[in-house]
Amino acid sequence: MISKKIEKALNEQIQMEGDASNKYLAMSLWCDQEGMEGAAEFFLGHSEEEKFHMMKLVKYIQDADGKAIIPAFAKPKNNYKNVEDVVKTAYTSEQKVTQSIYKLVSLSLTENDHQTHNFLQWYVSEQLEEEALMRKIIDKIKLIGGGPQSLYFIDEMLSAVHKEEESGAGEEVL
Ligand code: FEO
């Protein structure tokens, strides 16, 4: 059984993961509106991943005899300057999620809740992967540069990353 303090903190994380899912969905729509189908697929995939992160928390709270609460989610940003702005926003957002997970891990230790501490380790590893992925994509976008077909190449790159992720190989293409 989890303490009320842990239950509250895990529920706040549900909000954060749900907000992340909606942010990525809005990013996917923006990319689609800009004709970048590969980028749209990439962000849609990440929206689904974040929903999975949220549901994993919901299940854990319920399994641990707590009460999971589905909150009202924040309206995501719907407009971006360019695709680099989208990826940089995603990277910043992932960094915030990482900090929130670290706080949760620290709380689980002070509460002497080893079950929750063990559960959160999956998120610690996941955040390392997600931050590394966004950083690599930002680096690739810089390499592609601002030439006349740069948007085409960025779209192709994000489509390739998405296909690798779908096949379960992670971000091997980068
Ligand atoms: Fe679930 Fe990418 O934070």
Side-chain angles (χ1 to χ4, degrees), residues 79-90:
N79 269 307
Y80 291 91
K81 276 188 284 189
N82 50 44
V83 69
E84 190 174 3
D85 180 31
V86 178
V87 183
K88 280 184 173 169
T89 305

Side-chain angles (χ1 to χ4, degrees), residues 13 17 20 24 46 49-50 53-54 93-94 97-98 123 126-127 130:
Q13 194 62 33
E17 303 290 348
Y24 283 140
H46 278 265
E49 256 189 49
E50 298 301 345
H53 297 175
M54 181 185 86
S93 177
E94 290 298 344
V97 173
T98 302
Y123 287 85
E126 184 71 11
Q127 282 313 117
E130 303 232 304

Side-chain angles (χ1 to χ4, degrees), residues 52-69:
F52 174 73
H53 297 175
M54 181 185 86
M55 290 309 297
K56 205 171 162 68
L57 282 156
V58 168
K59 187 175 185 313
Y60 176 73
I61 297 171
Q62 296 287 117
D63 284 350
D65 204 16
K67 189 178 172 189
I69 295 164

Side-chain angles (χ1 to χ4, degrees), residues 100-158:
S100 178
I101 295 291
Y102 287 177
K103 272 191 199 160
L104 264 172
V105 172
S106 300
L107 181 67
S108 70
L109 288 174
T110 56
E111 289 283 297
N112 209 20
D113 182 346
H114 294 284
Q115 212 165 47
T116 299
H117 182 267
N118 183 48
F119 167 73
L120 290 171
Q121 297 313 302
W122 183 87
Y123 287 85
V124 172
S125 305
E126 184 71 11
Q127 282 313 117
L128 174 67
E129 277 181 28
E130 303 232 304
E131 280 197 33
L133 175 64
M134 293 304 168
R135 218 171 38 243
K136 283 180 193 172
I137 291 171
I138 291 168
D139 288 346
K140 263 281 179 335
I141 290 174
K142 279 184 194 145
L143 274 179
I144 291 169
Q149 289 174 327
S150 59
L151 289 181
Y152 173 81
F153 289 123
I154 292 168
D155 196 46
E156 287 285 294
M157 180 259 296
L158 287 171

Side-chain angles (χ1 to χ4, degrees), residues 4-61:
K4 284 288 157 200
K5 216 170 175 179
I6 292 280
E7 183 190 83
K8 183 174 179 287
L10 290 172
N11 269 305
E12 283 166 7
Q13 194 62 33
I14 285 180
Q15 167 116 48
M16 203 159 201
E17 303 290 348
D19 281 340
S21 176
N22 287 339
K23 263 185 226 172
Y24 283 140
L25 180 56
M27 286 172 179
S28 172
L29 294 179
W30 183 88
C31 291
D32 191 53
Q33 286 150 13
E34 294 293 310
M36 299 185 77
E37 285 176 18
E41 278 177 1
F42 170 80
F43 284 111
L44 185 59
H46 278 265
S47 171
E48 282 160 10
E49 256 189 49
E50 298 301 345
K51 188 169 179 201
F52 174 73
H53 297 175
M54 181 185 86
M55 290 309 297
K56 205 171 162 68
L57 282 156
V58 168
K59 187 175 185 313
Y60 176 73
I61 297 171

